[in-house]
Amino acid sequence: MRRKMVAGNWKMHGSLQSNAVLLGGLHAAPATACDVVVCVPFPYLAQAQSCLAGTAIGLGAQDCSIHAEGAYTGEVSVSMLRDFGCSHVIVGHSERRAHHGEADLAVAAKARLALLAGMIPIICVGETLAQRESGATEAVIGMQLDAILHLLGDRLSELVVAYEPVWAIGTGRTASPQQAQDVHAFIRTRAARHHVDAQSMRVLYGGSVKPDNAGELFAQPDIDGGLIGGASLKAADFLAIVAAATADPGTI
Ligand code: 13P
């Protein structure tokens, strides 16, 4: 059985003051049968590590360097993330692909470093609106996945893939549960080409997930939880989404 997971991606939001309120609010999270993670900006890792101590909530970062160590000004290595107790790291988010030119091979290499450091990479894939409208969704996602699967095909049960249609991120326009399920099923089929373990690989959905649509999305057979942007910035909304993930008895 795949364990459900809900991860918050704070993106470039927060301050010491507002984080304290948000993280404090997450203490109300019941111990659940679902993995809960918050991925915070680098400067706040220490604060989040200390605020989350004693809870079952995991800590994650939003990116890591492709290098292990060295003269790479501004970069943050996986071992540095481990120093702050990170269990997870997002790699290949569409915002990094679009604004920082991250290519599939670099994303795969980052995911590999994270696994080697004992962390779980949350690897994002997804198509733009133009790609969807031209019927290229599967071709685009297939290519993004193949780079990862070639390198990490034998570690599918450890990594997490997040399907995030670019057109649904921060737009309030969510993929319908059926649209999301179709792509998730495709991702699993594609992974099965590389390894028999595809059934154990978790695939999250991200893109305008809110408390009122989370339940229907998470009830789909191939959706194993969510990667949450805007709604992870309010403790009540994030916890409502966690509750939706644990309410579905199908996959827990
Ligand atoms: P929103 O939930 O704000 O649409 O963001 C999704 C996302 O990009 C999570 O990584």
Side-chain angles (χ1 to χ4, degrees):
M1 266 323 172
R2 296 187 299 272
R3 197 175 154 83
K4 280 255 188 335
M5 176 173 176
V6 175
N9 175 9
W10 289 8
K11 308 193 179 185
M12 201 172 71
H13 294 289
S15 65
L16 285 174
Q17 212 174 3
S18 65
N19 300 343
V21 175
L22 175 51
L23 292 164
L26 298 184
H27 279 244
T32 68
C34 158
D35 290 341
V36 182
V37 179
V38 289
C39 299
V40 310
F42 294 136
Y44 299 131
L45 284 172
Q47 180 193 22
Q49 182 183 28
S50 128
C51 288
L52 295 174
T55 74
I57 299 173
L59 179 60
Q62 299 170 15
D63 183 35
C64 63
S65 175
I66 195 173
H67 305 288
E69 173 173 35
Y72 301 105
T73 302
E75 294 284 278
V76 175
S77 72
V78 287
S79 64
M80 293 172 187
L81 299 181
R82 286 301 281 165
D83 273 347
F84 286 91
C86 286
S87 49
H88 294 72
V89 58
I90 297 170
V91 294
H93 192 280
S94 61
E95 287 151 15
R96 294 212 57 86
R97 291 177 188 261
H99 306 310
H100 302 275
E102 278 190 20
D104 296 334
L105 286 178
V107 172
K110 288 180 177 192
R112 180 172 165 276
L113 275 183
L115 282 169
L116 288 174
M119 286 191 290
I120 298 174
I122 302 172
I123 307 165
C124 301
V125 297
E127 82 287 2
T128 63
L129 188 58
Q131 288 164 337
R132 172 163 284 264
E133 286 177 344
S134 67
T137 299
E138 293 194 352
V140 168
I141 291 172
M143 247 164 54
Q144 292 172 338
L145 273 178
D146 283 346
I148 294 151
L149 296 170
H150 277 306
L151 202 59
L152 303 170
D154 57 340
R155 303 196 66 172
L156 296 186
S157 60
E158 297 160 81
L159 55 79
V160 173
V161 169
Y163 168 53
E164 297 207 319
V166 177
W167 47 272
I169 294 177
T171 58
R173 184 178 166 187
T174 324
S176 71
Q178 192 56 53
Q179 279 175 321
Q181 166 57 27
D182 288 347
V183 177
H184 282 232
F186 166 76
I187 289 172
R188 211 175 292 290
T189 307
R190 189 74 164 215
R193 277 196 199 171
H194 293 261
H195 205 270
V196 287
D197 240 5
Q199 282 306 321
S200 62
M201 181 182 76
R202 288 186 289 181
V203 187
L204 311 183
Y205 170 78
S208 299
V209 178
K210 307 285 177 218
D212 60 358
N213 60 22
E216 220 189 332
L217 286 160
F218 298 166
Q220 301 302 312
D222 286 295
I223 300 186
D224 303 313
L227 181 56
I228 318 301
S232 71
L233 298 173
K234 266 182 142 178
D237 286 356
F238 189 61
L239 292 180
I241 292 170
V242 171
T246 45
D248 169 24
T251 53
I252 295 168

mmCIF file of all heavy atoms in Angstrom, residues 70-100:
data_model
loop_
_atom_site.group_PDB
_atom_site.id
_atom_site.type_symbol
_atom_site.label_atom_id
_atom_site.label_comp_id
_atom_site.label_asym_id
_atom_site.label_seq_id
_atom_site.Cartn_x
_atom_site.Cartn_y
_atom_site.Cartn_z
ATOM 1 N N GLY A 70 31.851 22.726 -3.030
ATOM 2 C CA GLY A 70 32.847 23.423 -3.845
ATOM 3 C C GLY A 70 32.557 24.883 -4.082
ATOM 4 O O GLY A 70 31.732 25.492 -3.400
ATOM 5 N N ALA A 71 33.241 25.449 -5.078
ATOM 6 C CA ALA A 71 33.159 26.879 -5.362
ATOM 7 C C ALA A 71 31.928 27.160 -6.230
ATOM 8 O O ALA A 71 32.026 27.340 -7.442
ATOM 9 C CB ALA A 71 34.435 27.322 -6.076
ATOM 10 N N TYR A 72 30.775 27.127 -5.587
ATOM 11 C CA TYR A 72 29.510 27.352 -6.297
ATOM 12 C C TYR A 72 28.717 28.390 -5.514
ATOM 13 O O TYR A 72 27.810 28.063 -4.730
ATOM 14 C CB TYR A 72 28.736 26.041 -6.429
ATOM 15 C CG TYR A 72 29.524 25.000 -7.179
ATOM 16 C CD1 TYR A 72 30.127 23.936 -6.507
ATOM 17 C CD2 TYR A 72 29.712 25.102 -8.554
ATOM 18 C CE1 TYR A 72 30.887 22.998 -7.194
ATOM 19 C CE2 TYR A 72 30.473 24.178 -9.249
ATOM 20 C CZ TYR A 72 31.055 23.136 -8.568
ATOM 21 O OH TYR A 72 31.810 22.220 -9.248
ATOM 22 N N THR A 73 29.076 29.639 -5.705
ATOM 23 C CA THR A 73 28.509 30.731 -4.919
ATOM 24 C C THR A 73 26.979 30.726 -4.963
ATOM 25 O O THR A 73 26.386 30.656 -6.037
ATOM 26 C CB THR A 73 29.047 32.071 -5.461
ATOM 27 O OG1 THR A 73 30.467 32.022 -5.384
ATOM 28 C CG2 THR A 73 28.528 33.251 -4.645
ATOM 29 N N GLY A 74 26.393 30.779 -3.792
ATOM 30 C CA GLY A 74 24.937 30.858 -3.699
ATOM 31 C C GLY A 74 24.236 29.523 -3.650
ATOM 32 O O GLY A 74 23.023 29.467 -3.418
ATOM 33 N N GLU A 75 24.960 28.440 -3.877
ATOM 34 C CA GLU A 75 24.329 27.123 -3.920
ATOM 35 C C GLU A 75 24.251 26.492 -2.518
ATOM 36 O O GLU A 75 25.037 26.837 -1.629
ATOM 37 C CB GLU A 75 25.139 26.190 -4.819
ATOM 38 C CG GLU A 75 25.137 26.593 -6.285
ATOM 39 C CD GLU A 75 23.827 26.232 -6.948
ATOM 40 O OE1 GLU A 75 23.644 25.081 -7.339
ATOM 41 O OE2 GLU A 75 22.968 27.125 -7.066
ATOM 42 N N VAL A 76 23.342 25.567 -2.363
ATOM 43 C CA VAL A 76 23.158 24.871 -1.081
ATOM 44 C C VAL A 76 23.181 23.368 -1.349
ATOM 45 O O VAL A 76 22.419 22.860 -2.179
ATOM 46 C CB VAL A 76 21.817 25.284 -0.431
ATOM 47 C CG1 VAL A 76 21.565 24.476 0.834
ATOM 48 C CG2 VAL A 76 21.831 26.780 -0.106
ATOM 49 N N SER A 77 24.083 22.663 -0.670
ATOM 50 C CA SER A 77 24.271 21.234 -0.966
ATOM 51 C C SER A 77 23.304 20.362 -0.164
ATOM 52 O O SER A 77 22.749 20.793 0.859
ATOM 53 C CB SER A 77 25.704 20.827 -0.630
ATOM 54 O OG SER A 77 25.864 20.808 0.775
ATOM 55 N N VAL A 78 23.180 19.124 -0.606
ATOM 56 C CA VAL A 78 22.303 18.193 0.118
ATOM 57 C C VAL A 78 22.831 17.929 1.529
ATOM 58 O O VAL A 78 22.039 17.762 2.462
ATOM 59 C CB VAL A 78 22.114 16.857 -0.647
ATOM 60 C CG1 VAL A 78 21.220 17.034 -1.850
ATOM 61 C CG2 VAL A 78 23.435 16.222 -1.018
ATOM 62 N N SER A 79 24.159 17.910 1.709
ATOM 63 C CA SER A 79 24.661 17.642 3.066
ATOM 64 C C SER A 79 24.333 18.811 4.002
ATOM 65 O O SER A 79 24.090 18.612 5.193
ATOM 66 C CB SER A 79 26.159 17.330 3.053
ATOM 67 O OG SER A 79 26.866 18.458 2.613
ATOM 68 N N MET A 80 24.293 20.031 3.463
ATOM 69 C CA MET A 80 23.878 21.182 4.293
ATOM 70 C C MET A 80 22.407 21.027 4.708
ATOM 71 O O MET A 80 22.034 21.309 5.842
ATOM 72 C CB MET A 80 24.064 22.486 3.526
ATOM 73 C CG MET A 80 25.525 22.810 3.254
ATOM 74 S SD MET A 80 25.654 24.229 2.142
ATOM 75 C CE MET A 80 27.417 24.227 1.863
ATOM 76 N N LEU A 81 21.603 20.560 3.776
ATOM 77 C CA LEU A 81 20.179 20.356 4.098
ATOM 78 C C LEU A 81 20.036 19.291 5.183
ATOM 79 O O LEU A 81 19.214 19.415 6.099
ATOM 80 C CB LEU A 81 19.392 19.945 2.849
ATOM 81 C CG LEU A 81 19.393 20.960 1.696
ATOM 82 C CD1 LEU A 81 18.555 20.444 0.534
ATOM 83 C CD2 LEU A 81 18.860 22.308 2.173
ATOM 84 N N ARG A 82 20.850 18.255 5.086
ATOM 85 C CA ARG A 82 20.820 17.190 6.107
ATOM 86 C C ARG A 82 21.200 17.750 7.473
ATOM 87 O O ARG A 82 20.648 17.350 8.495
ATOM 88 C CB ARG A 82 21.784 16.052 5.727
ATOM 89 C CG ARG A 82 21.289 15.189 4.607
ATOM 90 C CD ARG A 82 19.978 14.524 4.914
ATOM 91 N NE ARG A 82 20.121 13.351 5.769
ATOM 92 C CZ ARG A 82 19.114 12.760 6.418
ATOM 93 N NH1 ARG A 82 17.899 13.259 6.334
ATOM 94 N NH2 ARG A 82 19.317 11.698 7.139
ATOM 95 N N ASP A 83 22.154 18.682 7.477
ATOM 96 C CA ASP A 83 22.578 19.293 8.748
ATOM 97 C C ASP A 83 21.404 19.950 9.476
ATOM 98 O O ASP A 83 21.419 20.094 10.693
ATOM 99 C CB ASP A 83 23.643 20.376 8.496
ATOM 100 C CG ASP A 83 25.053 19.805 8.461
ATOM 101 O OD1 ASP A 83 25.231 18.635 8.866
ATOM 102 O OD2 ASP A 83 25.971 20.532 8.045
ATOM 103 N N PHE A 84 20.424 20.407 8.712
ATOM 104 C CA PHE A 84 19.272 21.066 9.329
ATOM 105 C C PHE A 84 18.072 20.123 9.441
ATOM 106 O O PHE A 84 16.949 20.560 9.631
ATOM 107 C CB PHE A 84 18.900 22.329 8.546
ATOM 108 C CG PHE A 84 19.877 23.440 8.777
ATOM 109 C CD1 PHE A 84 20.968 23.599 7.947
ATOM 110 C CD2 PHE A 84 19.732 24.294 9.866
ATOM 111 C CE1 PHE A 84 21.900 24.604 8.182
ATOM 112 C CE2 PHE A 84 20.653 25.294 10.104
ATOM 113 C CZ PHE A 84 21.744 25.454 9.265
ATOM 114 N N GLY A 85 18.337 18.843 9.310
ATOM 115 C CA GLY A 85 17.281 17.862 9.559
ATOM 116 C C GLY A 85 16.309 17.677 8.408
ATOM 117 O O GLY A 85 15.213 17.135 8.599
ATOM 118 N N CYS A 86 16.686 18.100 7.200
ATOM 119 C CA CYS A 86 15.761 17.913 6.074
ATOM 120 C C CYS A 86 15.631 16.431 5.719
ATOM 121 O O CYS A 86 16.630 15.741 5.542
ATOM 122 C CB CYS A 86 16.250 18.652 4.834
ATOM 123 S SG CYS A 86 16.025 20.408 4.932
ATOM 124 N N SER A 87 14.408 16.007 5.577
ATOM 125 C CA SER A 87 14.148 14.644 5.127
ATOM 126 C C SER A 87 13.737 14.633 3.655
ATOM 127 O O SER A 87 13.749 13.581 3.012
ATOM 128 C CB SER A 87 13.031 14.018 5.973
ATOM 129 O OG SER A 87 11.928 14.915 6.037
ATOM 130 N N HIS A 88 13.343 15.795 3.133
ATOM 131 C CA HIS A 88 12.809 15.881 1.774
ATOM 132 C C HIS A 88 13.393 17.096 1.060
ATOM 133 O O HIS A 88 13.763 18.079 1.697
ATOM 134 C CB HIS A 88 11.278 16.045 1.804
ATOM 135 C CG HIS A 88 10.548 14.846 2.344
ATOM 136 N ND1 HIS A 88 10.571 14.500 3.671
ATOM 137 C CD2 HIS A 88 9.774 13.918 1.730
ATOM 138 C CE1 HIS A 88 9.850 13.413 3.852
ATOM 139 N NE2 HIS A 88 9.352 13.037 2.694
ATOM 140 N N VAL A 89 13.415 17.024 -0.256
ATOM 141 C CA VAL A 89 13.769 18.210 -1.045
ATOM 142 C C VAL A 89 13.012 18.169 -2.377
ATOM 143 O O VAL A 89 12.940 17.119 -3.025
ATOM 144 C CB VAL A 89 15.304 18.323 -1.256
ATOM 145 C CG1 VAL A 89 15.901 17.107 -1.947
ATOM 146 C CG2 VAL A 89 15.658 19.589 -2.047
ATOM 147 N N ILE A 90 12.413 19.304 -2.726
ATOM 148 C CA ILE A 90 11.728 19.426 -4.016
ATOM 149 C C ILE A 90 12.799 19.653 -5.087
ATOM 150 O O ILE A 90 13.714 20.464 -4.887
ATOM 151 C CB ILE A 90 10.763 20.629 -4.006
ATOM 152 C CG1 ILE A 90 9.655 20.435 -2.959
ATOM 153 C CG2 ILE A 90 10.161 20.866 -5.392
ATOM 154 C CD1 ILE A 90 8.805 21.695 -2.724
ATOM 155 N N VAL A 91 12.717 18.950 -6.185
ATOM 156 C CA VAL A 91 13.620 19.237 -7.308
ATOM 157 C C VAL A 91 12.812 19.348 -8.597
ATOM 158 O O VAL A 91 11.788 18.679 -8.767
ATOM 159 C CB VAL A 91 14.750 18.169 -7.470
ATOM 160 C CG1 VAL A 91 15.692 18.182 -6.284
ATOM 161 C CG2 VAL A 91 14.200 16.785 -7.713
ATOM 162 N N GLY A 92 13.272 20.238 -9.470
ATOM 163 C CA GLY A 92 12.634 20.361 -10.786
ATOM 164 C C GLY A 92 11.284 21.033 -10.772
ATOM 165 O O GLY A 92 10.459 20.811 -11.676
ATOM 166 N N HIS A 93 11.033 21.881 -9.762
ATOM 167 C CA HIS A 93 9.759 22.613 -9.779
ATOM 168 C C HIS A 93 9.682 23.430 -11.074
ATOM 169 O O HIS A 93 10.698 23.953 -11.552
ATOM 170 C CB HIS A 93 9.660 23.526 -8.557
ATOM 171 C CG HIS A 93 8.275 24.065 -8.372
ATOM 172 N ND1 HIS A 93 7.804 25.124 -9.107
ATOM 173 C CD2 HIS A 93 7.253 23.658 -7.586
ATOM 174 C CE1 HIS A 93 6.539 25.358 -8.765
ATOM 175 N NE2 HIS A 93 6.180 24.485 -7.842
ATOM 176 N N SER A 94 8.489 23.595 -11.616
ATOM 177 C CA SER A 94 8.365 24.291 -12.907
ATOM 178 C C SER A 94 8.862 25.729 -12.813
ATOM 179 O O SER A 94 9.309 26.304 -13.810
ATOM 180 C CB SER A 94 6.923 24.257 -13.407
ATOM 181 O OG SER A 94 6.083 24.905 -12.486
ATOM 182 N N GLU A 95 8.780 26.320 -11.608
ATOM 183 C CA GLU A 95 9.284 27.693 -11.487
ATOM 184 C C GLU A 95 10.806 27.719 -11.628
ATOM 185 O O GLU A 95 11.372 28.667 -12.155
ATOM 186 C CB GLU A 95 8.815 28.288 -10.148
ATOM 187 C CG GLU A 95 7.323 28.611 -10.204
ATOM 188 C CD GLU A 95 6.592 28.533 -8.878
ATOM 189 O OE1 GLU A 95 7.245 28.493 -7.822
ATOM 190 O OE2 GLU A 95 5.342 28.487 -8.916
ATOM 191 N N ARG A 96 11.478 26.687 -11.178
ATOM 192 C CA ARG A 96 12.936 26.604 -11.357
ATOM 193 C C ARG A 96 13.268 26.237 -12.811
ATOM 194 O O ARG A 96 14.221 26.735 -13.391
ATOM 195 C CB ARG A 96 13.545 25.595 -10.392
ATOM 196 C CG ARG A 96 13.410 26.055 -8.932
ATOM 197 C CD ARG A 96 14.557 25.581 -8.094
ATOM 198 N NE ARG A 96 15.824 26.023 -8.603
ATOM 199 C CZ ARG A 96 16.402 27.203 -8.324
ATOM 200 N NH1 ARG A 96 15.809 28.069 -7.526
ATOM 201 N NH2 ARG A 96 17.570 27.494 -8.831
ATOM 202 N N ARG A 97 12.454 25.375 -13.389
ATOM 203 C CA ARG A 97 12.701 25.033 -14.801
ATOM 204 C C ARG A 97 12.537 26.278 -15.663
ATOM 205 O O ARG A 97 13.322 26.531 -16.570
ATOM 206 C CB ARG A 97 11.726 23.940 -15.261
ATOM 207 C CG ARG A 97 11.959 22.557 -14.626
ATOM 208 C CD ARG A 97 10.880 21.592 -15.104
ATOM 209 N NE ARG A 97 10.882 20.308 -14.431
ATOM 210 C CZ ARG A 97 11.431 19.190 -14.905
ATOM 211 N NH1 ARG A 97 12.051 19.187 -16.068
ATOM 212 N NH2 ARG A 97 11.343 18.059 -14.229
ATOM 213 N N ALA A 98 11.482 27.087 -15.361
ATOM 214 C CA ALA A 98 11.189 28.251 -16.207
ATOM 215 C C ALA A 98 12.142 29.410 -15.945
ATOM 216 O O ALA A 98 12.602 30.062 -16.881
ATOM 217 C CB ALA A 98 9.744 28.701 -15.968
ATOM 218 N N HIS A 99 12.446 29.684 -14.677
ATOM 219 C CA HIS A 99 13.224 30.897 -14.360
ATOM 220 C C HIS A 99 14.717 30.637 -14.214
ATOM 221 O O HIS A 99 15.500 31.573 -14.188
ATOM 222 C CB HIS A 99 12.709 31.536 -13.069
ATOM 223 C CG HIS A 99 11.241 31.829 -13.084
ATOM 224 N ND1 HIS A 99 10.629 32.506 -14.109
ATOM 225 C CD2 HIS A 99 10.241 31.509 -12.215
ATOM 226 C CE1 HIS A 99 9.329 32.592 -13.870
ATOM 227 N NE2 HIS A 99 9.071 31.988 -12.730
ATOM 228 N N HIS A 100 15.105 29.387 -14.045
ATOM 229 C CA HIS A 100 16.529 29.096 -13.813
ATOM 230 C C HIS A 100 17.069 28.074 -14.807
ATOM 231 O O HIS A 100 18.149 27.530 -14.605
ATOM 232 C CB HIS A 100 16.742 28.610 -12.368
ATOM 233 C CG HIS A 100 16.268 29.613 -11.353
ATOM 234 N ND1 HIS A 100 17.051 30.653 -10.914
ATOM 235 C CD2 HIS A 100 15.068 29.759 -10.744
ATOM 236 C CE1 HIS A 100 16.348 31.394 -10.056
ATOM 237 N NE2 HIS A 100 15.146 30.873 -9.944
#
